[in-house]
Amino acid sequence: MRKKIVAGNWKMNTMLPEGFNLAKEVISKSAGVPTDVELIVIPPFTHLSEAVKITKGSRIKVGAQNCAMWDKGAYTGEVSAPMLGSVSVNYVILGHSERREYFGEDNQMLFKKINLVLENSLTPIFCCGEKLDERESSNHFKVVEQQVSESLFGLTAEQMLKVVIAYEPVWAIGTGKTATAEQAQEMHAFIRQLLTKKFGVNISNEISILYGGSCKPSNAAEIFAKADVDGGLIGGASLVAEDFIGIAKAF
Ligand code: PGA
């Protein structure tokens, strides 16, 4: 059966000492979370080595928020997938809407990044999701289908099995406006159907699809109860250990 996952995307927040304390708190509070839920903290690059050290021996896994499109070379300011592997990170978020919006990342670039992450034995968390105007004009399925097909359909079935998907409607990110559990389920089922058509039902049934966008302890249970929702990618609420763990306990 597919993995349940709750991942905390800290974005560009926390100084190192704060991040240290947050990771410690997440570890200490994690005892009450069902053991079949994978808990992941995803701090900024500067904190990764330290986060890996702190979480060693605990159930908490560590992820990065992005990686470069190349594996090494003259790309000032970039961090590569092999570098992330060398500090023993487990996951890498790719294609977050903030990367698409502010850094011009497109589906083809993300296909390259996904390949590099997989080649380095890391797990990509591939984000997709429509903007408000795209939903209002009823183009949301088309947009998500294009993101999924252009970034994932060039993978082999074996590679696809190692990818985690996060559906994050852009209008719900950081806005306090969560998608309803029905809206989340509808899109998750649609994404799974796309995967079934391309890779077959045995593979699509194994792929975790997380929901992201203003997820909180108060709304997580209803969303996670839906058949095709396998967990959450949490932004704002992941900066408060109690809220993050409260969400994970919603399973
Ligand atoms: P949010 O962010 O929980 O603050 O809405 C989610 C995300 O961007 O991953």
Side-chain angles (χ1 to χ4, degrees):
M1 249 338 256
R2 50 187 184 256
K3 219 183 235 180
K4 297 174 184 170
I5 297 172
V6 176
N9 173 12
W10 296 3
K11 308 192 180 183
M12 198 173 72
N13 292 298
T14 74
M15 298 300 122
L16 186 60
E18 270 177 278
F20 182 91
N21 289 336
L22 179 53
K24 284 254 177 214
E25 239 188 298
V26 168
I27 296 168
S28 70
K29 289 186 167 28
S30 64
V33 176
T35 50
D36 61 343
V37 178
E38 176 105 313
L39 288 170
I40 311 169
V41 293
I42 310 182
F45 286 132
T46 45
H47 304 11
L48 288 176
S49 278
E50 206 55 39
V52 168
K53 271 189 230 156
I54 297 165
T55 53
K56 202 170 177 173
S58 81
R59 62 183 286 186
I60 313 294
K61 300 284 193 287
V62 177
Q65 298 174 16
N66 180 34
C67 76
M69 238 194 324
W70 310 275
D71 63 355
K72 65 174 181 178
Y75 301 105
T76 303
E78 290 289 275
V79 174
S80 72
M83 289 170 186
L84 296 174
S86 77
V87 295
S88 303
V89 157
N90 310 103
Y91 290 88
V92 184
I93 298 179
L94 292 175
H96 190 280
S97 64
E98 288 147 18
R99 300 292 319 171
R100 293 175 187 265
E101 170 94 9
Y102 307 132
F103 303 95
E105 296 199 2
D106 62 29
N107 299 333
Q108 285 71 26
M109 287 163 73
L110 294 168
F111 175 66
K112 288 191 196 161
K113 292 188 179 198
I114 292 166
N115 272 285
L116 280 170
V117 164
L118 290 171
E119 274 167 27
N120 286 279
S121 306
L122 307 171
T123 303
I125 302 177
F126 170 74
C127 301
C128 57
E130 80 285 0
K131 296 181 192 161
L132 183 61
D133 61 315
E134 293 164 338
R135 179 162 281 262
E136 284 175 348
S137 58
S138 297
N139 278 319
H140 45 302
F141 292 116
K142 212 172 96 196
V143 167
V144 171
E145 176 166 5
Q146 193 169 0
Q147 292 170 335
V148 167
S149 62
E150 291 185 0
S151 296
L152 300 178
F153 282 7
L155 300 175
T156 64
E158 198 191 336
Q159 284 179 311
M160 190 62 226
L161 270 175
K162 295 179 184 141
V163 176
V164 172
I165 296 176
Y167 168 59
E168 301 203 304
V170 180
W171 46 271
I173 296 178
T175 57
K177 197 177 161 199
T178 323
T180 63
E182 288 69 30
Q183 284 172 322
Q185 168 57 25
E186 187 184 35
M187 186 59 86
H188 284 224
F190 174 73
I191 294 169
R192 205 176 300 287
Q193 206 178 68
L194 294 174
L195 298 172
T196 301
K197 270 195 228 150
K198 175 71 191 171
F199 297 101
V201 69
N202 292 340
I203 288 179
S204 77
N205 273 336
E206 290 299 318
I207 295 169
S208 300
I209 307 178
L210 317 183
Y211 168 79
S214 299
C215 204
K216 304 182 271 272
S218 58
N219 59 29
E222 196 188 348
I223 297 172
F224 293 174
K226 293 294 180 189
D228 288 290
V229 180
D230 307 305
L233 181 55
I234 319 302
S238 73
L239 295 170
V240 179
E242 198 168 308
D243 290 349
F244 179 61
I245 292 297
I247 291 170
K249 284 183 180 166
F251 265 118

